[in-house]
Amino acid sequence: MATGAAVPTTFSTLKTWDSSLGFAKNIDFVRVSDMKSMKSSARKRVSIIRNSNPGQDIAELQPASPGSPLLVPRQKYCESLHKPIRRKTSTVMVGNVAIGSEHPIRIQTMTTTDTKDVAGTVEQVMRIADKGADIVRITVQGKKEADACFEIKNTLVQKNYNIPLVADIHFAPSVALRVAECFDKIRVNPGNFADRRAQFETLEYTEEDYQKELEHIEKVFTPLVEKCKKYGRAMRIGTNHGSLSDRIMSYYGDSPRGMVESAFEFARICRKLDYHNFVFSMKASNPVIMVQAYRLLVAEMYVQGWDYPLHLGVTEAGEGEDGRMKSAIGIGTLLQDGLGDTIRVSLTEPPEEEIDPCRRLANLGMRASELQKGVEPFEEKHRHYFDFQRRSGQLPVQKEGEEVDYRGALHRDGSVLMSVSLDQLKMPEVLYKSLAAKLIVGMPFKDLATVDSILLRELPPVDDADARLALKRLIDISMGVITPLTEQLTKPLPNAMVLVNLKEISTGAYKLLPQGTRLVVSVRGDEPYEELDILKGVDATMLLHDLPYTEDRISRVHAARRLFEYLSDNSLNFPVIHHIQFPNGIHRDDLVIGAGSDAGALLVDGLGDGLLLEAPDKDFEFIRNTSFNLLQGCRMRNTKTEYVSCPSCGRTLFDLQEVSAQIREKTSHLPGVSIAIMGCIVNGPGEMADADFGYVGGTPGKIDLYVGKTVVKRGIAMEHATNALIDLIKEHGRWVDPPAEE
C-alpha cells in the first residue's frame, strides 16, 4: 500500500460529490493528515484538486498501512495493472452492430463528402463498408443535411448496405432531433450541444449560477434522449479537448478533468431518464492528454459503478506515418490496459484509408485481451496514471581520465539509438547522412535530429582501418558506439560502450574489460528481483529493456512497468532505452503501430529515456524517422514542425489534403513550431490549444489565421493564405529560412 509520501502533502480543496446536483461541494482543509477526520463519513470516495495543477485525480481513499489513521488515494483505471484484461462493459446496439466487451472491437470512420451530395456520400459509404468498417459517421450540420440523411439511408438500404450510420452533431439540437428518426446513432459534443461556442473567457459562477446552467443543459438535451429511447437509437457522448465550453474551462480548467465532467453532465441526464444505450469518448490531438482523459473517465466510472463502452480516438492526428503514430500511441496505450470497444484512426487521408490501420490496432487490442500476457503481480506505487511526470534517468557524465566525451550518447529530451551493420561502415559518408549527421568537408557533426548512439552487433576486424576510422569519427562527436561483450573482448574498439546481460554480470565476465569501460545492460524486466539486485552494484551508463518480440507469455508493457517500479523502489536512476526487435517481413504499419503501442504506452507515463528499434529488412531512414516521430508524439523530443490537422468531413471548407501538403512543403523545417490546419471552426480554436499558429476554414474560399486560440486575421483568400501564414510566423520571430540544398 502506498504511504503518505506517495501523494502531495497539501491540497486546497476536498470535493465530495452530490450526484443529485451534479455539482461539487467544497470542504476546505490543509493537509492530507486532516483527512482522518473524514473517517466517520459514509462517503469513502472523493476527488482531490491541486491548485498547482488544473488536472485532477479521481481517488479512492484507503489507509496508508493496515490500521493507519492516514488515508491516501488509490486509483483504479483498468481491470488489472499486471496484464491486459478487457474492461467489462454493457452492450450498446448501433443498428445491428453490438459494441461492448462481449463483442469484437468495432472499426469506424467518417465521410468527407458534402452531406447534401447524396450520391457522393452514398458512394463513399459503400467504399468504406467494402473496406470492412463496422460503422460510418456523417456530419449533419443543418436542416438540409438532415433531410439528405433520409435519402442517404434509404439509398444504402436499397443497395443492400445496412452498415449503421452515425450523425455527427455540433451546435444543433434541433438537427439532432430530426436525424434521430433515420440514423442509428447520434454523436453529441457536450462542449457545444447546449453551451455557446467557447470564447475562452474565464467566468465566475456561484453554486446557484452553475446549477441553472445544468438545468438549461437538461432542458435542451432531454428531448433528444427521449427520442433516442423511442426509436432505439444509440448515442455517443463525445468530449473533445478542443471544444470544451467556457463554463467547464472556468470551473475545471482546460484539462482532462474538465473533459470528463463535461461528458458526465450529459450522462447523468441520460441515466435520470433511464437511457443507457450510449458510449463515451474523450478525444484530443495530444495523445498524452487523450490517454489521461480516458483513464480519468474510467476511474470515475469504477467509482460510480458504471459500465458504458468506450470509443477511442486521437482527433486531428494528421496524415501518413505521423497520424498513424499518434493514433498508435493514444489508442494502443489504452488497448494495452484492456480499455476500448470501438476505435477510429483519424487521418488527413481518404476515409477508406483509415480502415487498415484501424483494423491493425483493433487486432492488437483483441489479441492482448485474449492472450492476457502479463507479469507476476507487483505493487505499483510510483507510476502517475493521470498526469505526466517524467522519470528522467541520469544522463552520462564525464569521468576523470576519459579520452572522449560520452555526454552526447543520450539526449535529455529522449534518445534515438540505431542498429548499424558492418556493410554500412563500408560507405562512411552515406552512413553519416543516414544517421542525420551534418557533413562538413566529409566530417560528421551532430545536428538537431542526429542519432545519439549506435549498436554495432559485430565489430570490424582490427586491421580494417577505414571502418574503424569511421567509428572513431562518430565517437569523437560524442555519439555512443555500443557493442556486445564478446565482440569487445575479441576485437576491442577503443572507447566503445559494451553491451552485457545480467548473466554476464553475475559470472564476472565483464571484469575482463579494461577498468572504466562504459557498460550498457540488457534486461527483460520479468527477472526475479534477486537477479535484478545485481544492478545495485553496477555502474551502468544505460539499461536496454529488451523483451523478445516472440515472447508469448510476457507483456512488454507490463514487464517494463515492473522494471521501472523496481528501479524506483531501489533509487536506481539508470536511463532506460526501449529496445524492440521486430521480425523480418513485418508490415510497416504494424511496426509503427507496434512501436507506438509498446513504447508509447510507457513514454506517455514518463517511463523511458529513448528508443532502439530494430527491423533488419526495413529502410534505415524509415526506422530513424519512426523513432523520432514516436518521441515527438509522446511530447518529448521535438525535432520537426508539429502539425495538428483534422481528417476532413462534410464541414470542411477546402481540400485539406492538398492544403496540408502545401503548408508542410513550406514549413516542415521549423522544429519547435506547431501549426494547426483545420477544415472548419467546430474544433478549431480549442483543438489548437497545443498549436502556435492556426490555419482555419472560416467561410468557403476564405481562411482565418490564429495565434494560439486567438484569431488575428480573418477572411484571407485561399490563394494568399499560405503566404499569409508564413508572414505571421515571421512576425512572431519563429521563422528560419530552410537549409540550402546540398
Side-chain angles (χ1 to χ4, degrees), residues 608-633:
D609 299 274
L611 304 162
L612 170 52
L613 307 181
E614 290 191 84
D617 62 342
K618 291 295 180 288
D619 178 73
F620 195 86
E621 185 176 0
F622 164 67
I623 298 293
R624 189 192 71 227
N625 288 338
T626 297
S627 301
F628 279 108
N629 286 348
L630 179 46
L631 291 178
Q632 185 152 332

Side-chain angles (χ1 to χ4, degrees), residues 421-431 464 466-467 470:
S421 69
L422 280 180
D423 282 344
Q424 289 173 282
L425 289 174
K426 294 176 181 176
M427 295 182 288
E429 289 197 12
V430 174
L431 172 62
D464 189 342
D466 291 340

Side-chain angles (χ1 to χ4, degrees), residues 234-255:
M235 188 182 295
R236 168 155 70 99
I237 300 174
T239 303
N240 272 17
H241 182 225
S243 53
L244 293 175
S245 67
D246 286 334
R247 176 178 56 81
I248 285 288
M249 286 191 286
S250 296
Y251 200 72
Y252 292 96
D254 185 7
S255 66

Side-chain angles (χ1 to χ4, degrees), residues 48 250 491 596 604 739:
I48 290 175
S250 296
K491 296 175 284 187
V604 295

Side-chain angles (χ1 to χ4, degrees), residues 24 36 45 106 116 120 164 178 236 252 367 384 419 422 498 529 586 629 636 733:
K36 60 189 178 185
R45 298 183 174 99
R106 303 301 188 182
K116 297 189 298 296
R178 169 73 169 143
R236 168 155 70 99
Y252 292 96
R367 282 197 305 271
H384 297 268
S419 179
L422 280 180
V498 178
Y529 289 131
I586 189 170
N629 286 348
M636 290 176 65

Side-chain angles (χ1 to χ4, degrees), residues 110 113 139-141 168-171 649-653 679-680 682:
M110 187 173 184
T113 51
T139 188
V140 189
Q141 59 265 55
D168 191 61
I169 302 294
H170 299 271
F171 307 110
C649 70
R651 286 184 168 85
T652 302
L653 297 169
C680 72
V682 165

Side-chain angles (χ1 to χ4, degrees), residues 60-350:
E60 182 171 352
L61 299 185
Q62 297 179 348
S65 58
S68 169
L70 177 63
L71 301 178
V72 296
R74 186 62 176 167
Q75 303 98 333
K76 177 182 179 181
Y77 75 90
C78 61
E79 287 294 308
S80 171
L81 295 175
H82 312 120
K83 58 184 177 181
I85 297 178
R86 196 165 174 195
R87 170 180 164 262
K88 296 296 182 185
T89 75
S90 58
T91 292
V92 167
M93 294 302 302
V94 183
N96 58 357
V97 172
I99 295 175
S101 59
E102 299 303 312
H103 312 282
I105 295 172
R106 303 301 188 182
I107 296 167
Q108 54 180 290
T109 184
M110 187 173 184
T111 59
T112 58
T113 51
D114 181 341
T115 306
K116 297 189 298 296
D117 176 5
V118 172
T121 302
V122 166
E123 286 298 320
Q124 193 171 70
V125 170
M126 291 192 297
R127 287 199 303 274
I128 291 167
D130 291 342
K131 281 277 190 175
D134 298 304
I135 299 169
V136 180
R137 181 157 47 113
I138 297 173
T139 188
V140 189
Q141 59 265 55
K143 185 178 182 301
K144 290 180 180 178
E145 288 81 5
D147 290 343
C149 288
F150 286 82
E151 196 173 344
I152 291 168
K153 180 71 172 179
N154 289 335
T155 305
L156 286 166
V157 170
Q158 289 167 13
K159 293 177 179 288
N160 206 28
Y161 280 81
N162 293 311
I163 188 168
L165 302 180
V166 182
D168 191 61
I169 302 294
H170 299 271
F171 307 110
S174 62
V175 172
L177 283 170
R178 169 73 169 143
V179 80
E181 295 175 12
C182 69
F183 272 16
D184 304 283
K185 181 180 176 185
I186 308 296
R187 179 276 171 105
V188 296
N189 183 341
N192 59 34
F193 187 82
D195 282 312
R196 64 179 183 142
R197 186 191 304 276
Q199 304 298 310
F200 305 100
E201 300 170 346
T202 300
L203 309 174
E204 295 293 333
Y205 283 96
T206 65
E207 188 168 335
E208 183 180 358
D209 291 337
Y210 203 92
Q211 180 59 26
K212 286 180 179 177
E213 293 278 358
L214 295 177
E215 290 169 357
H216 168 69
I217 290 172
E218 184 169 351
K219 181 179 179 181
V220 174
F221 186 49
T222 292
L224 178 61
V225 176
E226 290 176 335
K227 196 153 197 176
C228 286
K229 280 184 69 176
K230 176 182 176 182
Y231 284 90
R233 307 306 187 202
M235 188 182 295
R236 168 155 70 99
I237 300 174
T239 303
N240 272 17
H241 182 225
S243 53
L244 293 175
S245 67
D246 286 334
R247 176 178 56 81
I248 285 288
M249 286 191 286
S250 296
Y251 200 72
Y252 292 96
D254 185 7
S255 66
R257 176 67 196 142
M259 294 171 67
V260 173
E261 182 52 35
S262 183
F264 266 50
E265 290 176 349
F266 280 64
R268 292 186 197 102
I269 296 168
C270 291
R271 290 175 60 82
K272 181 178 178 180
L273 298 170
D274 196 27
Y275 172 75
H276 302 279
N277 200 42
F278 64 88
V279 305
F280 282 116
S281 70
M282 296 278 124
K283 291 193 174 185
S285 60
N286 179 336
V288 177
I289 295 291
M290 174 261 199
V291 167
Q292 291 171 10
Y294 276 103
R295 286 176 175 171
L296 203 54
L297 172 80
V298 176
E300 184 150 338
M301 279 206 276
Y302 276 123
V303 169
Q304 300 288 346
W306 296 1
D307 62 355
Y308 300 105
L310 298 178
H311 168 118
L312 303 185
V314 177
T315 190
E316 279 82 38
E319 64 183 352
E321 281 154 17
D322 284 358
R324 285 160 177 77
M325 179 58 79
K326 283 186 185 177
S327 294
I329 293 167
I331 298 171
T333 294
L334 296 165
L335 292 174
Q336 296 272 18
D337 277 322
L339 303 180
D341 305 287
T342 178
I343 61 177
R344 183 204 174 181
V345 173
S346 298
L347 301 174
T348 311
E349 299 177 21

Side-chain angles (χ1 to χ4, degrees), residues 11-18 23-31 34-35 37-38 41-43 45-49 61 207 251:
F11 298 85
S12 62
T13 307
L14 178 67
K15 298 179 83 178
T16 58
W17 191 256
D18 185 332
F23 187 85
K25 296 181 177 179
N26 297 339
I27 305 171
D28 290 328
F29 75 115
V30 179
R31 294 188 179 277
D34 292 343
M35 291 160 66
S37 64
M38 298 282 294
S41 170
R43 297 182 186 276
R45 298 183 174 99
V46 299
S47 302
I48 290 175
I49 304 179
L61 299 185
E207 188 168 335
Y251 200 72

